[in-house]
Amino acid sequence: MTAISENSPALRPDLIEKVTGRAVYITDVAVEGMAHGRILRSPLPHARIKGIACSAAIALDGVVAVLTGADLPDLVQQAAWGLYFNDRPVIARDKVRYVGEPVAVVVAETPAIAERALNLVDVDYQELPVVDTAAKAVLPDTALINEDAESLADFYFTGQAKPLEGTNIFQKYILSEGDVAAAEENAARVFEHSYSFPGVSHFALEPHCVIARFDGDELTVWSGAQSPTAAQKVLARVFGLELSNIRVIVPYVGGGFGGKASVKLEPLVAAAARKAKRPVRVALSLDESMLTCRRLGATISLRTSIDENGIIVAKRGRILLDGGAYADTGPAVTVQAAHRVVGPYGICNLEIEAWAAYANTVPGAAFRSIGGPQAVWATESQMDEIAAELNIDPIDFRRRNLAARGEKIIGKLRPLDVDFEDMITQARQAMSELGGGADTGLALAATDPGILPLGGALLRVLADGSIIIASNSVEIG
């Protein structure tokens, strides 16, 4: 047996640390003098906050401070933040918009004391009408969930969301190419199917955790964040600080999958630290992480037209996404779902409409290929259903419709740089060798990345010959 050395060039540099348990994750980090925060969450999906009584909690021995929305004017320069909209309050102020929204943060000397103090905080709610699905959210005369969300441009992804004023729709995207109506009229068959996809939790083994410390006008945050620069930018805006005054430190991340992308807890914990005037650590349970973000649920309707040779001549798609109480990365998910529902197929006539709407549900977020699982699952399910109706082998049906290497799936995207025909051949051979039967299948997907495929690093050669490399890339578990 060959001995494994930490210096073996073929090994990941973090392998030994992780398998021996020496690796440091955010939950292993301790900062001198830190207190511990616990979050009181709304039990209601939509309600007005009439009042919060904190005096009993503050009086409990060991409690350092209690943060509520009433504190925000004295602690922050910008009370709401976001990536496409400034729609998410640092902590709920006048309203709560989903079950689990933070209403108060108790900061105490120990987590146990903070937990006990939560039970002493009394919140008076006035319940409001609940819009618990995207389908309800887009109905005429439905109450608005976020009335005054300020739109932002080029913050996290390139571009700006296109909300429909006076509605709960915070993103509308239309992809239109060719003449769908004419193609449908001349088609041999037209197939229509609808699919629904639930808004599931990321469920990383490591829940969300953040530590924040203010030193005058300098803020340091330790976080299991996938996107440290996004967190830095949001914190700068919320607290009115220069970017150079904010440091975001990310240790090893125990699973991200998009659930720790963009920004999640950092503004809330930093506000608690500013209120407490000392470092504050907030570590969520897995249940609380499920109340922090999840994949956007979707309903997808597809209308696909086929000619007499089994070639797709036109495709219509209608995608409605449940964006939850706050937009987060939902606008980008909407665009990518519209692109990805096309599949790696050469379809000349397309009419894809995608919307994302606010609802009184947990905020939706990126999750493993934003918009991909929802859209690809719908399209590839329909490909199987059409093949069955036409009595064509589902893999052969896909072959007939593939875009070749060098061709474009969508006019605005770059040409395909892979050979799907060759990949299918290899996959089919592998399935055959494994004895694949009726319970095996194949699905295809291809599209542009959610974020620009660019990276950057700063390299400095010092006078003593040593080299420093600075990069904001994060290894996300």
Side-chain angles (χ1 to χ4, degrees), residues 184-452:
E184 287 181 340
E185 186 175 343
N186 296 315
R189 296 282 300 273
V190 177
F191 297 88
E192 295 189 69
H193 298 90
S194 294
Y195 306 90
S196 60
F197 195 104
V200 296
S201 169
H202 301 74
F203 214 75
L205 290 180
E206 174 196 59
H208 296 79
C209 180
V210 174
I211 302 170
R213 181 185 70 199
F214 276 94
D215 297 297
D217 287 335
E218 295 185 352
L219 170 60
T220 303
V221 169
W222 293 260
S223 174
Q226 291 180 231
S227 314
T229 53
Q232 184 187 44
K233 188 184 293 187
V234 163
L235 291 167
R237 294 185 178 186
V238 166
F239 293 100
L241 300 174
E242 296 294 330
L243 288 172
S244 58
N245 284 14
I246 299 173
R247 187 182 183 197
V248 179
I249 301 172
V250 180
Y252 287 126
V253 178
F257 320 126
K260 295 169 187 170
S262 63
V263 184
K264 295 295 178 283
L265 290 180
E266 291 83 1
L268 176 63
V269 181
R274 179 166 268 188
K275 174 73 184 289
K277 296 182 174 58
R278 59 189 286 188
V280 170
R281 175 185 187 267
V282 174
L284 302 189
S285 65
L286 279 173
D287 287 352
E288 288 182 293
S289 282
M290 293 175 69
L291 294 173
T292 299
C293 62
R294 44 84 190 168
R295 175 181 280 152
L296 282 77
T299 55
I300 302 176
S301 299
L302 300 176
R303 178 181 169 94
T304 302
S305 301
I306 311 292
D307 71 10
E308 61 277 4
N309 298 313
I311 304 300
I312 300 173
V313 295
K315 184 171 188 175
R316 294 184 189 267
R318 186 182 188 276
I319 303 168
L320 178 60
L321 294 154
D322 176 355
Y326 304 110
D328 201 280
T329 51
V333 173
T334 309
V335 174
Q336 296 306 112
H339 289 178
R340 291 168 182 179
V341 82
V342 176
Y345 307 110
I347 307 173
C348 297
N349 304 291
L350 296 168
E351 195 70 43
I352 310 296
E353 300 179 355
W355 298 272
Y358 289 120
N360 294 124
T361 56
V362 174
F367 187 166
R368 297 295 297 182
S369 174
I370 60 173
Q374 302 96 316
V376 172
W377 173 74
T379 280
E380 291 301 284
S381 295
Q382 192 191 40
M383 292 295 286
D384 284 340
E385 295 193 62
I386 293 174
E389 283 283 329
L390 297 176
N391 197 27
I392 302 174
D393 178 88
I395 296 180
D396 288 340
F397 179 52
R398 286 170 169 83
R399 283 182 186 274
R400 297 184 192 189
N401 289 284
L402 284 175
R405 184 170 188 169
E407 293 181 351
K408 289 188 175 184
I409 300 170
I410 301 169
K412 68 193 302 181
L413 301 184
R414 293 175 298 176
L416 277 178
D417 57 1
V418 296
D419 187 340
F420 269 95
E421 178 72 28
D422 179 61
M423 293 168 69
I424 286 181
T425 299
Q426 294 187 46
R428 190 166 207 171
Q429 181 179 346
M431 290 164 63
S432 176
E433 292 172 354
L434 292 171
D439 58 345
T440 61
L442 180 144
L444 306 177
T447 186
D448 53 320
I451 304 177
L452 290 176

Side-chain angles (χ1 to χ4, degrees), residues 40 49-55 66 68-69 92-93 103-104 121-124:
L40 181 68
I49 299 174
K50 298 179 67 176
I52 303 178
C54 304
S55 55
V66 178
T68 70
R93 299 180 71 188
V103 175
V121 179
D122 185 28
V123 184
D124 184 12

